[in-house]
């Protein structure tokens, strides 16, 4: 049976036959979460979180035993328009302070194909935690040509409802459904 790309990526990180999960740290400069929503049916509005931190733990023997944990400062949101940013940070939505975070911690990973998996985890936004599923794809695993160490890159997508997290102001005129696209890189921790 041909090993999956996920399994191969995990195996390349191992140092022995029974290696424990190995830690990879997110590359904040090449990781982002982009989300879109319908604006009164006239346009699709795009926003992005970037510059966040997290880690991926790879398990060579059992890829489903891998995990991911991410923390995103709410105020790292980039909207492209200062008034939209101010409104989203206001009490209508986040009522955000500098210390407010969005977090994701995986609770399970199901490898579904050669380079695909479903990552289930707890997403906490605005103090509310809900289980979500990410459809994830391994883009590449290998030696980073500039960093000189093992590196991985993933894309993932999901859909969430902002009203599930206490952020439903102006729905349904402004779309409740957020289409979320994630792209991350991570380097092996030293």
């Amino acid at each position: 049976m041909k090993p999956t790309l996920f399994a191969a990526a995990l195996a390349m990180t191992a140092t022995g036959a029974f290696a424990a999960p190995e830690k990879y740290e997110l590359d904040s400069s090449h990781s982002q979460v982009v989300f879109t929503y319908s604006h009164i049916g006239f346009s699709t509005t795009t926003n992005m979180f970037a510059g966040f931190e997290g880690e991926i733990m790879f398990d060579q023997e059992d890829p489903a035993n891998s995990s991911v944990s991410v923390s995103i400062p709410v105020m790292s949101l980039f909207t492209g328009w200062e008034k939209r940013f101010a409104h989203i940070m206001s009490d209508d939505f986040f009522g955000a302070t500098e210390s407010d975070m969005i977090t994701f911690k995986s609770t399970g990973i199901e490898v579904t194909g050669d380079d695909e998996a479903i990552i289930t985890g707890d997403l906490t936004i605005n103090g509310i935690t809900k289980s979500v599923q990410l459809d994830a794809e391994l883009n590449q695993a290998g030696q980073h040509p500039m960093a000189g160490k093992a590196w991985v890159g993933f894309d993932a997508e999901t859909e969430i409802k902002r009203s599930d997290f206490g952020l439903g102001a102006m729905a349904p005129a402004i779309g409740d459904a957020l289409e979320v696209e994630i792209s991350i890189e991570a380097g092996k921790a030293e």
Side-chain angles (χ1 to χ4, degrees), residues 6 56 58 63-64 66-70 104-112 116-123 131-138 154-158 182 184:
F6 268 100
I56 299 169
F58 279 128
S66 300
S67 64
V68 60
S69 176
V70 177
F104 177 82
K105 293 184 191 242
S106 63
T107 57
I109 297 177
E110 177 189 357
V111 177
T112 57
E116 297 173 347
I118 296 172
I119 302 172
T120 302
D122 291 332
L123 177 65
S131 180
V132 299
Q133 288 189 329
L134 307 177
D135 292 321
E137 180 176 358
L138 175 65
F154 294 92
D155 284 346
E157 59 185 29
T158 191
I182 302 158
I184 62 170

Side-chain angles (χ1 to χ4, degrees), residues 57-94:
M57 297 297 292
F58 279 128
D59 185 324
Q60 174 205 5
E61 297 299 318
D62 182 7
N65 193 39
S66 300
S67 64
V68 60
S69 176
V70 177
S71 296
I72 305 170
V74 171
M75 296 188 84
S76 71
L77 178 67
F78 176 75
T79 67
W81 190 44
E82 191 174 314
K83 288 182 180 180
R84 181 181 308 125
F85 175 82
H87 190 208
I88 292 173
M89 294 302 131
S90 77
D91 288 339
D92 281 350
F93 295 97
F94 282 105

